[in-house]
Amino acid sequence: GAVVSQHPSRVICKSGTSVKIECRSLDFQATTMFWYRQFPKQSLMLMATSNEGSKATYEQGVEKDKFLINHASLTLSTLTVTSAHPEDSSFYICSALAGQQTQYFGPGTRLLVL
Amino acid sequence: DAKTTQPPSMDCAEGRAANLPCNHSTISGNEYVYWYRQIHSQGPQYIIHGLKNNETNEMASLIITEDRKSSTLILPHATLRDTAVYYCIVRPPGAGSYQLTFGKGTKLSVIP
């Protein structure tokens, strides 16, 4: 099946710093990728839709200046959490759309902001 | 998008079939039924999807009722590694409709 990777798998940072998370589709090209966030004991919440070569579309309530998304190639999308604060601590998961039909998810990145 | 209703939790004995139900009574004629699962602290894993016909792959079978208002995911021989939260999601086809809306899912516990 289609494989999606994320890096890093886990990151701890100080409050006020920025963190970049990479999402790669390893064996297929994806013009569309998605970024989700999951807090403990809750379900996944879509943050934004990332389209290759264009600006990301953010869900209501998600600050585009805080969560910077870049989708510069057909196999890579990045999410940068700028000026991270403890409330940004969460499990961030990306997915990539294969064949314009099925989303395949990465393993997730656990972010802890101290 | 059509809403789905799933039981919050289920138990299944190891080696037995796990039958996970999903109600989607407001589904439209061109909306697909997708199933994903999420093992603790991992990203969701795609299982199967269907439109009208029953589907089977190496992981599971998907049975969709004739009126399409409900479906059942079947894991034929559950193992301990199948313990996870299973999500049933309805998604319309076509460009601009790729987003998935995750509900609370069913927490399946496979018991030795």
Side-chain angles (χ1 to χ4, degrees):
Chain A
V3 180
V4 177
S5 70
Q6 277 184 245
H7 178 80
S9 59
R10 182 184 297 265
V11 58
I12 300 173
C13 70
K14 293 181 179 180
S15 185
T17 61
S18 295
V19 175
K20 179 186 283 189
I21 303 170
E22 293 186 349
C23 176
R24 293 180 185 273
S25 56
L26 298 185
D27 52 1
F28 66 102
Q29 293 183 330
T31 55
T32 303
M33 291 184 173
F34 302 87
W35 287 95
Y36 295 80
R37 181 166 53 181
Q38 185 175 33
F39 292 106
K41 298 187 179 181
Q42 295 186 22
S43 191
L44 280 78
M45 294 296 294
L46 179 66
M47 298 176 66
T49 302
S50 168
N51 291 298
E52 187 265 339
S54 64
K55 292 183 178 180
T57 302
Y58 291 81
E59 295 301 298
Q60 191 172 9
V62 178
E63 300 175 56
K64 63 178 181 180
D65 294 330
K66 180 170 182 64
F67 299 98
L68 302 179
I69 292 172
N70 185 284
H71 192 160
S73 79
L74 290 173
T75 59
L76 173 65
S77 177
T78 60
L79 169 69
T80 301
V81 183
T82 63
S83 186
H85 288 92
E87 57 265 32
D88 298 323
S89 298
S90 189
F91 191 45
Y92 291 86
I93 309 168
C94 73
S95 70
L97 190 66
Q100 297 193 353
Q101 188 161 7
T102 300
Q103 286 187 39
Y104 292 91
F105 288 80
T109 296
R110 193 161 299 281
L111 170 64
L112 177 62
V113 184
L114 302 177
Chain B
D1 295 353
K3 301 290 185 188
T4 62
T5 303
Q6 298 178 253
S9 64
M10 291 181 63
D11 291 341
C12 177
E14 186 178 18
R16 304 297 293 268
N19 298 284
L20 292 93
C22 179
N23 285 323
H24 31 79
S25 58
T26 60
I27 193 170
S28 298
N30 59 353
E31 289 183 312
Y32 288 84
V33 179
Y34 277 78
W35 283 84
Y36 285 82
R37 71 181 183 184
Q38 186 176 25
I39 296 170
H40 183 62
S41 295
Q42 297 183 22
Q45 177 187 22
Y46 166 77
I47 301 173
I48 199 167
H49 74 280
L51 182 62
K52 295 180 180 179
N53 300 321
N54 298 336
E55 302 288 344
T56 296
N57 62 20
E58 64 279 4
M59 289 184 67
S61 294
L62 173 61
I63 308 298
I64 302 174
T65 57
E66 193 169 341
D67 63 8
R68 303 207 329 119
K69 293 185 177 182
S70 66
S71 61
T72 301
L73 179 73
I74 301 172
L75 307 179
H77 305 286
T79 70
L80 298 179
R81 288 180 296 180
D82 292 322
T83 292
V85 178
Y86 287 75
Y87 297 98
C88 169
I89 302 169
V90 171
R91 200 217 80 186
S97 303
Y98 304 134
Q99 297 175 353
L100 298 176
T101 301
F102 285 80
K104 296 183 178 181
T106 295
K107 184 174 183 179
L108 175 69
S109 298
V110 180
I111 302 169

